[in-house]
Amino acid sequence: MASKREWSKFQSAIFEEVLTGTGSIIVDAKAGAAKTTVVVEATNRMPEGLTVLMMAFNASIAKELKERVPSNIQVATYNAWGNRALKAVLPFAKLDQDKYRKLFRYLVGQQ
């Protein structure tokens, strides 16, 4: 159900594209521009039964979105989605959880 809030023409255009568009949507705006609020509202306006993937930049945003969007919306970070794709093709691939620490030590000469 749509909220009673008044939306800007740009936000309304996003909702219209969600309902009538045929492709992907990227919402690009400055910090504090209500991107998360708009995306959550857009998911609430979607017809039930759709398969939807929502990509988030980091794990904290993904966690917040999972708590705020309908349960039929799949939320993932780009990293998690990439790892899933890699595992689908290379099931025995191992990811190094300590890679940045190792790289840092290598770069500063601490092996």
Side-chain angles (χ1 to χ4, degrees), residues 8 10-11 15 20 27 44 48 54-55 62 66 72 74-75 86-87 95 103 105-106:
S8 74
F10 302 107
Q11 293 165 328
F15 303 143
T20 63
V27 177
N44 290 324
E48 291 184 24
M54 185 179 291
M55 302 298 290
K66 286 178 187 176
N72 66 308
Q74 185 174 1
V75 179
L86 178 65
K87 290 285 190 177
L95 300 175
L103 178 61
R105 286 182 178 161
Y106 173 79

Side-chain angles (χ1 to χ4, degrees), residues 17-100:
E17 183 64 23
V18 165
L19 294 174
T20 63
T22 59
S24 300
I25 298 172
I26 296 174
V27 177
D28 184 17
K30 295 183 181 202
K35 291 181 296 292
T36 302
T37 301
V38 169
V39 170
V40 169
E41 177 66 20
T43 62
N44 290 324
R45 294 177 182 219
M46 291 178 182
E48 291 184 24
L50 292 178
T51 301
V52 177
L53 171 62
M54 185 179 291
M55 302 298 290
F57 183 72
N58 64 45
S60 65
I61 295 169
K63 181 179 183 235
E64 178 185 350
L65 286 170
K66 286 178 187 176
E67 294 170 356
R68 293 178 60 187
V69 300
S71 61
N72 66 308
I73 308 292
Q74 185 174 1
V75 179
T77 63
Y78 291 97
N79 189 49
W81 196 253
N83 289 341
R84 182 182 298 176
L86 178 65
K87 290 285 190 177
V89 177
L90 301 169
F92 299 106
K94 289 201 157 227
L95 300 175
D96 185 352
Q97 300 296 326
D98 205 29
K99 66 185 170 197
Y100 293 115

